[in-house]
Amino acid sequence: MEYNFSDIESKWQKAWKNSQTYKVDIDRNKAKYYVLDMFPYPSGAGLHVGHPLGYIASDIYSRYKRLCGFNVLHPMGYDAYGLPAEQYAIQTGQHPAVTTKENINRYREQLDKIGFCYDWSREVRTCEPIYYKWTQWAFIQMFNHYYDTALDKAMSISDLIAQFEKNGTEGVSAASSVELKFSAEEWNSKEETEKLSVLMNYRIAYKADAMVNWCPALGTVLANDEVSEGLSVRGGYPVEQKVMSQWCLRVSAYAGRLLEGLERIDWTDSLKEAQRNWIGRSEGAELSFKIKNQETELIVFTTRADTIHGVTFMVLAPESDYVQIVTTEEQKNAVDAYLDQVKRRTERERMTDKKVSGVFSGSYAINPVTGDEIPIYISDYVLAGYGTGAIMAVPAHDSRDYAFAKHFNLPIIPVIEGVDVSEQSMDAKDGIMCNSTFLNGLSVKEAIVCAKQYIKEKGLGRVKVNYRLRDAIFSRQRYWGEPFPVYYKNGVPTMLPEDKLPLLLPEIDNYLPTENGEPPLGHATKWAWDEKNACVVENTKIDQISVFPLELNTMPGFAGSSAYFLRYMDPNNEEALVDRQVNDYWQNVDLYLGGTEHATGHLIYSRMWNKFLYDLGIICKDEPFQKLINQGMIQGRSNFVYRVKGTNQYVSVGLKDQYDVQPIHVNVNIVSNEVLDIDAFRAWMPEYKDAEFILEDGKYICGWAVEKMSKSMFNVVNPDDIVAKYGADTLRLYEMFLGPLEQSKPWDTNGIDGVHRFLKKFWGLFFKGEEFCVSEENPTAEELKTLHKTIKKITWDIENFSFNTSVSAFMICVNELSAMKCNKKEILSALIVLLASYAPHVCEELWSLLGNKTSVFDASFPICNEEFLKETAVKYPISFNGKVRFTLEMPADLNKTEIEEMALANEQTIKQLDGKSPKKIIVVPGKIVNIVF
RNA sequence: GCUCUGGUGGUGGAAUCGGUAGACACGCAGGACUUAAAAUCCUGUGAUCAUUGCGAUCGUGCGGGUUCAAGUCCCGCCCGGAGUACCA
């Protein structure tokens, strides 16, 4: 009987839906396993063939885990807030909620066709009030907590207030934006509003004037991970630096724990490394330099305290607060001119053009160790946001300082023996110290330790760990995002009462900023908070007595995606983000699949967010994603035809060098194995109607290139088309067969026929002509062997995410069984269960044809009989490459003659065992014998 | 610059702990079936030389090394991809 995949697939997709086969509930008799995909942003373009790669892999894994007896949570949802829907709304006036809903429906339709085992009853959408209520709730919690650096956890802000009332800042250990010092009397005598503004310095969600990445084209600020090389990641628009009052999250307070936590999770080294670099821990010292004739001390951060004797000048960032203090009357004009010049340069110019620039401030600092007077400069090579925004310059051992010193003709003093600094600096932490009084003769490594010790003892500064990781800017000047649960009472940001959440996103009729430059929410007419009645009211009622304006910013994209994995556990709970008992069962994600592009964004924020909730006791695990696998990107594979310039003639790729040609993208869907469907090409566009072709071997062969998958390159392949032509099971197997999961690779349908042929052969094992024909006989040893080696291989492959090689193993298995004409029920049943995770529809169909009343996914995964494989290994050696190998342990201490003797002795044994003469014998002492027949 | 990754036939890729390199698949060539085509099946397919049957030599980006044995380990380079960057 023919393998009719489209009937089979629609039949089982319906059956699964009707019987809720994939619905999952807490079952305390079973171990849980949580498999999660990074949820998609539903874009207008729909899914292309690259998107499902990770979903297929996680689907296989979930089904496998279920067959192994786990209670598997495998949900899916949508990251529904985002820029594209809003940009579309600006252009068309279509409400983002409408387009988002349409896109979600389209995504769902596409996903369903591939036959995933998601429990859709747990779906979340970040733009739904029932969901974003908890995003707003978490924000309020962050506002109401500070980070205690001694306890290393988030604590209630009321604890901090109690400490201030009792002892002021004395003994307080709290992460803060600025280090403040005040006594209990000073605190208690402060006005209420003043107290609130002091507390902002400590809150985990806080509002502050921050240097932000402002993107004029998008009309919003962006987080650091949303900017790359001075351009916005979305859209590629220029980004400038600007000071604005913004909500921020004190992510930096969690830097140490984010770093430490990496040790306990099972991620790839490269991803952990990317996070380590982004967090950027560096150990060093803060050093105070006295300024000549002034009270103020200049504090710098350095990792090279050992080079203190080589300091010949100081440099301040242009934005540094020190600039005003150290600039002298005589230098004021020069400094102002320089600051003005720096301000006019965009971030991008500053990065691309690394020309040395700077200005002398007029002041001198005193080197605390040598007592030398050294000039203080201002230059934009020093960043305001890192360390203290000021550095001690050691031109002999830092290439940037070196370039600066050469440019301004400043002295360069080497402090490491035998270093020539006439051409370049010596940056390596290597060598023996010199010119350094008490450090002379020490190695650099010893000197770093010794110098830090010296600094501490003499009270010149303190040992300090610095992080590169900065707080996240949490405001966006956009419409399509979560509204902040915040109103402004006489200018003071105040949280809405928790029981009034969610604060619903208002309707507006214009998605652009307002005339006076406010974010789009400024257009909302009903957007004010009536404190007394605790409800949203018309703007016109604002009286600043009991009705106040609401926040006009919205939250960024990562807000909704930071805790969604928790919500899947308990998606309809209206009392809590997640019930604690429910969380105790599902705990955290065991396996998370997604792209590397989230390494420094989502994967940092969600870890931080999760740790915060853990500190509050809401959840039981502080790391959200135990194991993480990155699937590679599927790139587009474009095809080209070559038009002879100035004609309507097209030449096949092999002959194109003989003509003057112009390559033209051609729709990949009318090309098969590089051969162009000429009729389809003529019909494709009117301009090709009368095209003529210069063929090779009677065919038109196209050229190809790997490019991004995009409409303009005509290389987008839609999964629906593949499903229609070959079936979902073929698509699933083929995507896995394409190559290693983690590797990026171009989509190319050249091999899909082979996979489809395999499924037909597999189907064919169960039929004799038109008849379904399966034998109840006991299988032979040879048949069992084929089965068990396949079980062994598939089990290993799934557990190691080596899905591509397991498809090969299935092909070999089916080839062998069909060569043996095996139709034994025992073998075939096991094979169905084995393959079911990969090709669920066809397996479910065959499983039911075998007379089973329940789903194949209620069966158990077959177990490999290792003993049997070992026993048969001599007679029927295991081998996946089609050749025969016999292995035998050999004693370790043999010389060459003994080895040869051993080999000859074994040759006899092998002959007796197998009745054949070996072709070749390879013998290795201490290892194994390889005998090839 | 730094960090991470990768480099194997005409193509995608396999080789899981240092043990026959090229599994499996595509493509190609030849054959069977067919009036013909499609579909299906069979055979061959790293290179060079030898082909009368055997075979022989080379071969995993390049150059060295360790080992009985290296695609795999070590040292030094070359090339591609990704991330990140005046981070003191």
Side-chain angles (χ1 to χ4, degrees):
Chain A
M1 203 167 95
E2 209 186 321
Y3 166 48
N4 188 337
F5 54 84
S6 58
D7 287 358
I8 294 171
E9 287 172 5
S10 58
K11 171 181 164 187
W12 286 105
Q13 281 168 14
K14 257 179 233 146
W16 292 330
K17 199 173 176 185
N18 291 340
S19 60
Q20 300 195 318
T21 308
Y22 303 124
K23 192 165 177 346
V24 58
D25 289 304
I26 289 179
D27 177 350
R28 293 184 197 279
N29 297 318
K30 276 185 178 175
K32 69 96 190 186
Y33 201 91
Y34 187 174
V35 180
L36 182 65
D37 292 298
M38 288 185 187
F39 65 168
Y41 172 77
S43 83
L47 289 173
H48 66 62
V49 99
H51 294 115
L53 181 73
Y55 305 156
I56 294 170
S58 64
D59 194 68
I60 292 172
Y61 200 78
S62 314
R63 289 173 186 274
Y64 164 75
K65 277 287 174 183
R66 172 170 171 169
L67 287 165
C68 290
F70 288 87
N71 192 27
V72 179
L73 177 59
H74 185 42
M76 183 46 107
Y78 303 95
D79 188 11
Y81 277 132
L83 279 179
E86 184 165 351
Q87 295 290 78
Y88 189 74
I90 290 169
Q91 286 159 24
T92 63
Q94 176 86 280
H95 195 287
V98 175
T99 34
T100 302
K101 206 164 189 173
E102 281 171 5
N103 293 346
I104 286 176
N105 291 342
R106 169 101 181 94
Y107 264 57
R108 177 64 191 275
E109 229 172 80
Q110 289 186 296
L111 289 171
D112 280 348
K113 280 188 186 162
I114 304 173
F116 292 120
C117 64
Y118 297 120
D119 177 358
W120 285 106
S121 71
R122 293 173 180 266
E123 180 194 297
V124 301
R125 300 180 183 187
T126 55
C127 66
E128 294 290 336
I130 190 175
Y131 180 87
Y132 70 68
K133 173 180 178 178
W134 298 104
T135 312
Q136 293 175 336
W137 173 85
F139 175 79
I140 295 177
Q141 307 313 309
M142 290 188 197
F143 181 82
N144 287 330
H145 284 78
Y146 76 100
Y147 195 84
D148 192 305
T149 52
L151 300 171
D152 233 343
K153 78 186 273 210
M155 299 295 288
S156 169
I157 203 87
S158 54
D159 294 353
L160 187 66
I161 295 170
Q163 287 187 61
F164 286 163
E165 283 169 353
K166 211 168 154 203
N167 301 315
T169 51
E170 186 66 37
V172 164
S173 50
S176 60
S177 307
V178 189
E179 218 167 296
L180 300 177
K181 271 208 166 76
F182 50 79
S183 65
E185 293 76 49
E186 284 170 314
W187 169 261
N188 290 323
S189 66
K190 282 182 203 289
E191 294 285 327
E192 198 56 29
T193 50
E194 205 183 338
K195 283 182 181 170
L196 289 173
S197 95
V198 169
L199 290 174
M200 269 298 183
N201 188 43
Y202 300 95
R203 297 181 190 274
I204 289 177
Y206 63 97
K207 201 173 187 202
D209 285 331
M211 185 65 80
V212 298
N213 304 302
W214 172 254
C215 179
L218 294 172
T220 188
V221 302
L222 297 168
N224 284 341
D225 70 281
E226 292 169 325
V227 180
S228 175
E229 298 187 358
L231 299 174
S232 66
V233 173
R234 279 205 184 263
Y237 304 109
V239 170
E240 23 186 273
Q241 299 305 109
K242 190 172 165 182
V243 173
M244 285 175 78
S245 176
Q246 301 286 294
W247 285 104
C248 303
L249 297 189
R250 206 175 296 285
V251 179
S252 62
Y254 282 87
R257 279 167 69 190
L258 288 170
L259 194 65
E260 175 275 325
L262 292 174
E263 305 296 326
R264 292 179 282 120
I265 53 181
D266 195 11
W267 296 10
T268 59
D269 289 342
S270 66
L271 191 59
K272 285 187 187 179
E273 202 55 35
Q275 292 220 334
R276 284 194 194 105
N277 291 340
W278 190 257
I279 296 166
R281 181 181 199 272
S282 56
E283 273 180 41
E286 270 186 2
L287 260 170
S288 298
F289 283 67
K290 287 206 166 64
I291 302 171
K292 194 184 169 190
N293 303 328
Q294 284 215 38
E295 293 281 306
T296 332
E297 291 194 338
L298 198 55
I299 297 171
V300 300
F301 175 76
T302 181
T303 53
R304 293 296 301 272
D306 57 308
T307 58
I308 182 79
H309 296 84
V311 177
T312 56
F313 57 100
M314 312 284 288
V315 189
L316 304 178
E319 300 84 2
S320 168
D321 295 337
Y322 289 123
V323 169
Q324 296 313 316
I325 300 166
V326 299
T327 303
T328 58
E329 225 23 70
E330 305 86 74
Q331 286 299 101
K332 195 168 185 320
N333 285 343
V335 169
D336 286 347
Y338 181 70
L339 294 184
D340 201 44
Q341 178 201 326
V342 168
K343 224 179 189 169
R344 273 203 303 268
R345 292 173 81 192
T346 65
E347 185 72 349
R348 193 163 168 74
E349 283 167 344
R350 202 164 149 172
M351 275 193 296
T352 45
D353 171 26
K354 291 187 180 168
K355 214 166 53 195
V356 176
S357 72
V359 65
F360 177 48
S361 69
S363 295
Y364 291 84
I366 315 287
N367 184 320
V369 177
T370 64
D372 292 344
E373 287 184 11
I374 48 175
I376 303 172
Y377 280 78
I378 296 155
S379 171
D380 66 358
Y381 84 87
V382 174
L383 303 176
Y386 184 76
T388 61
I391 62 152
M392 59 177 221
V394 187
H397 302 291
D398 183 290
S399 50
R400 295 154 305 177
D401 298 345
Y402 185 87
F404 194 84
K406 279 281 177 184
H407 189 261
F408 287 94
N409 228 348
L410 296 159
I412 300 168
I413 307 170
V415 292
I416 294 172
E417 277 178 19
V419 171
D420 173 21
V421 292
S422 58
E423 290 299 325
Q424 55 175 8
S425 62
M426 201 290 259
D427 295 16
K429 293 182 188 176
D430 191 27
I432 303 296
M433 305 300 296
C434 66
N435 299 334
S436 298
T437 61
F438 66 97
L439 296 171
N440 282 340
L442 295 176
S443 74
V444 169
K445 285 197 180 88
E446 292 164 341
I448 290 175
V449 176
C450 183
K452 278 200 246 177
Q453 190 65 28
Y454 181 88
I455 288 162
K456 219 155 74 180
E457 279 169 13
K458 301 273 172 178
L460 307 175
R462 57 176 179 160
V463 174
K464 172 110 201 257
V465 173
N466 237 330
Y467 294 97
R468 198 188 79 112
L469 184 71
R470 310 218 199 131
D471 290 347
I473 309 283
F474 201 63
S475 302
R476 296 293 181 274
Q477 291 68 42
R478 303 291 298 198
Y479 171 69
W480 193 229
E482 298 86 351
F484 281 89
V486 173
Y487 62 100
Y488 287 89
K489 199 171 171 178
N490 304 314
V492 178
T494 312
M495 295 296 127
L496 253 54
E498 277 179 32
D499 60 358
K500 294 299 165 190
L501 297 182
L503 174 64
L504 298 176
L505 186 64
E507 292 300 320
I508 58 172
D509 49 15
N510 180 349
Y511 303 100
L512 289 167
T514 64
E515 275 166 24
N516 38 16
E518 285 172 337
L521 282 190
H523 291 296
T525 49
K526 194 180 174 185
W527 197 240
W529 185 253
D530 182 333
E531 198 175 52
K532 205 169 125 210
N533 298 311
C535 64
V536 177
V537 295
E538 300 286 332
N539 288 355
T540 48
K541 295 192 179 162
I542 291 178
D543 56 12
Q544 299 286 2
I545 299 160
S546 66
V547 179
F548 305 99
L550 281 155
E551 170 72 61
L552 299 180
N553 287 298
T554 52
M555 297 188 194
F558 66 81
S561 60
S562 290
Y564 75 109
F565 51 90
L566 293 171
R567 192 62 183 165
Y568 282 133
M569 298 174 184
D570 201 3
N572 301 312
N573 191 334
E574 293 192 30
E575 304 306 315
L577 166 64
V578 54
D579 181 85
R580 180 57 202 250
Q581 257 118 53
V582 170
N583 178 257
D584 282 341
Y585 180 75
W586 295 113
Q587 300 194 15
N588 60 357
V589 175
D590 293 284
L591 175 69
Y592 196 25
L593 257 110
T596 17
E597 66 272 20
H598 298 108
T600 53
H602 164 62
L603 288 174
I604 291 271
Y605 300 129
S606 54
R607 287 181 65 218
M608 176 264 168
W609 199 288
N610 193 79
K611 282 176 192 297
F612 171 74
L613 295 174
Y614 172 79
D615 286 351
L616 267 55
I618 308 288
I619 53 172
C620 66
K621 288 271 182 167
D622 82 318
E623 280 295 339
F625 314 120
Q626 190 53 41
K627 184 174 175 68
L628 188 138
I629 302 264
N630 291 118
Q631 90 273 25
M633 294 253 280
I634 293 207
Q635 296 133 314
R637 190 177 187 281
S638 311
N639 278 112
F640 298 93
V641 292
Y642 300 91
R643 175 157 63 192
V644 179
K645 278 188 185 163
T647 70
N648 204 8
Q649 235 187 3
Y650 300 83
V651 58
S652 188
V653 67
L655 306 170
K656 73 176 166 60
D657 293 343
Q658 299 166 22
Y659 301 83
D660 184 18
V661 296
Q662 173 194 11
I664 297 170
H665 277 96
V666 59
N667 187 346
V668 292
N669 295 300
I670 59 170
V671 177
S672 167
N673 288 332
E674 319 313 351
V675 178
L676 181 70
D677 180 337
I678 287 175
D679 294 333
F681 181 71
R682 287 197 173 115
W684 182 39
M685 283 186 193
E687 55 179 305
Y688 303 128
K689 207 177 93 205
D690 303 314
E692 288 168 39
F693 300 90
I694 302 169
L695 307 175
E696 43 185 330
D697 304 326
K699 292 173 190 158
Y700 188 96
I701 313 289
C702 297
W704 61 272
V706 173
E707 292 170 311
K708 216 186 130 196
M709 204 172 266
S710 90
K711 264 187 188 164
S712 64
M713 296 177 186
F714 301 108
N715 60 4
V716 177
V717 182
N718 188 314
D720 303 358
D721 296 342
I722 304 288
V723 169
K725 196 167 169 194
Y726 297 98
D729 287 333
T730 301
L731 173 72
R732 294 167 60 102
L733 278 167
Y734 185 61
E735 291 227 8
M736 294 299 102
F737 185 65
L738 212 48
L741 183 61
E742 307 206 14
Q743 190 178 302
S744 283
K745 57 233 157 192
W747 174 261
D748 137 27
T749 37
N750 286 348
I752 198 164
D753 290 319
V755 173
H756 190 62
R757 215 168 281 157
F758 153 75
L759 280 177
K760 281 199 233 169
K761 269 190 206 169
F762 170 65
W763 179 260
L765 287 176
F766 296 79
F767 292 88
K768 204 176 221 167
E770 286 296 299
E771 288 293 299
F772 184 78
C773 175
V774 174
S775 146
E776 300 279 348
E777 273 173 77
N778 286 334
T780 64
E782 215 167 337
E783 288 164 347
L784 282 171
K785 191 172 152 47
T786 292
L787 175 67
H788 282 276
K789 73 178 185 188
T790 308
I791 295 172
K792 189 175 175 175
K793 170 85 177 134
I794 300 303
T795 310
W796 192 94
D797 280 345
I798 299 181
E799 274 169 5
N800 292 279
F801 304 95
S802 177
F803 300 112
N804 55 328
T805 56
S806 49
V807 179
S808 297
F810 280 124
M811 288 176 175
I812 293 166
C813 177
V814 167
N815 283 343
E816 286 183 11
L817 292 179
S818 82
M820 291 185 255
K821 302 209 185 317
C822 169
N823 67 343
K824 311 277 171 63
K825 189 174 178 184
E826 187 182 330
I827 302 282
L828 295 181
S829 298
L831 184 57
I832 289 173
V833 181
L834 216 50
L835 184 62
S837 311
Y838 292 78
H841 310 87
V842 67
C843 289
E844 193 80 283
E845 173 74 8
L846 290 167
W847 187 252
S848 98
L849 286 175
L850 279 177
N852 294 292
K853 296 283 172 251
T854 53
S855 167
V856 64
F857 297 103
D858 293 329
S860 307
F861 199 78
I863 294 165
C864 169
N865 186 342
E866 298 267 358
E867 283 304 305
F868 168 75
L869 275 184
K870 255 184 210 160
E871 272 171 39
T872 56
V874 176
K875 277 188 184 166
Y876 306 103
I878 318 164
S879 166
F880 275 100
N881 56 16
K883 294 177 185 174
V884 179
R885 176 189 291 177
F886 173 83
T887 62
L888 178 75
E889 295 288 332
M890 295 287 282
D893 48 351
L894 295 182
N895 63 34
K896 274 200 166 172
T897 340
E898 286 169 324
I899 292 166
E900 278 165 26
E901 280 168 17
M902 187 88 181
L904 283 171
N906 275 295
E907 186 173 349
Q908 293 306 313
T909 323
I910 303 304
K911 269 185 191 169
Q912 285 161 15
L913 279 172
D914 218 47
K916 289 185 223 162
S917 281
K919 248 188 208 167
K920 195 169 162 189
I921 306 183
I922 302 160
V923 190
V924 180
K927 292 282 173 171
I928 55 167
V929 196
N930 292 328
I931 294 157
V932 182
F933 292 97

